Amino acid sequence: MFTMVNGLQNYSEQAIQAARYIGQGFVVTLDHMNRLPMTIQYPYEKLIPSERFHGRIHFEFDKCIACEVCVHVCPINLPVVDWKLRKNKRKKQLKSYSIDFGVCIFCGNCVEYCPTNCLSMTEEYELSIYDRHELNYDQIALGRLPISVIEDSAIHTIPSLTHLAKGVMEGHSNLRSITKFVD
């Protein structure tokens, strides 16, 4: 009889412990039900990239002196610089410049070490394409300025998701901006 009472006592302690665990789970669930959603509906809403975001590279043909520093600092020697020497001025003349974004790792070394600042990073991150050969951008495609997410008239900031409850985004910036397409 003593073992039966002991077994019943162990069973009741385990049942009470299981009920506590279930209660803790419900408390977490109820806490998350009161929070605003953290996700965005991507094609219709967009996050504004940070100011130091490494997006597509913008190239200014007129500023380039064909020094090839970008090629030397690139970990994969990616930029292709084609130039000819102008004998009368003893200067390099840039003929063409291209970067294959299918191979680029967007490290930003080329932008950082360019002596004439003819390279810069943009906010453009939507580079998906069906044919990988179309990701090889020449100086004309690199010179195209992207439409900024902020300046695009087709989308606007969603004010309801910019103000979240205190403690919801621990370790994240509270200045998160989200944009949404205007219908």
Side-chain angles (χ1 to χ4, degrees), residues 49-156:
S50 67
E51 133 184 356
R52 295 190 46 90
F53 178 74
H54 285 204
R56 182 184 64 84
I57 296 170
H58 173 69
F59 174 70
E60 295 182 38
F61 188 82
D62 298 336
K63 287 185 179 180
C64 185
I65 58 173
C67 64
E68 296 187 32
V69 170
C70 54
V71 178
H72 297 300
V73 298
C74 181
I76 52 178
N77 296 329
L78 185 62
V80 177
V81 180
D82 188 20
W83 54 271
K84 67 177 180 180
L85 186 62
R86 295 173 70 190
K87 302 221 182 226
N88 55 353
K89 292 187 179 181
R90 296 183 58 124
K91 238 179 158 178
K92 292 180 182 177
Q93 180 180 6
L94 184 66
K95 289 169 53 178
S96 67
Y97 188 91
S98 66
I99 295 177
D100 187 0
F101 287 114
V103 181
C104 182
I105 59 173
F106 298 95
C107 65
N109 286 346
C110 56
V111 174
E112 185 175 342
Y113 292 105
C114 181
T116 60
N117 293 329
C118 66
L119 296 171
S120 60
M121 292 290 201
T122 64
E123 297 175 344
E124 188 175 355
Y125 56 87
E126 296 171 323
L127 297 174
S128 59
I129 200 114
Y130 288 107
D131 184 16
R132 75 172 68 183
H133 301 294
E134 292 180 23
L135 288 172
N136 192 358
Y137 283 39
D138 62 355
Q139 68 259 13
I140 296 169
L142 287 169
R144 178 182 53 82
L145 284 171
I147 297 174
S148 176
V149 174
I150 299 169
E151 298 168 359
D152 192 356
S153 61
I155 45 183
H156 66 87

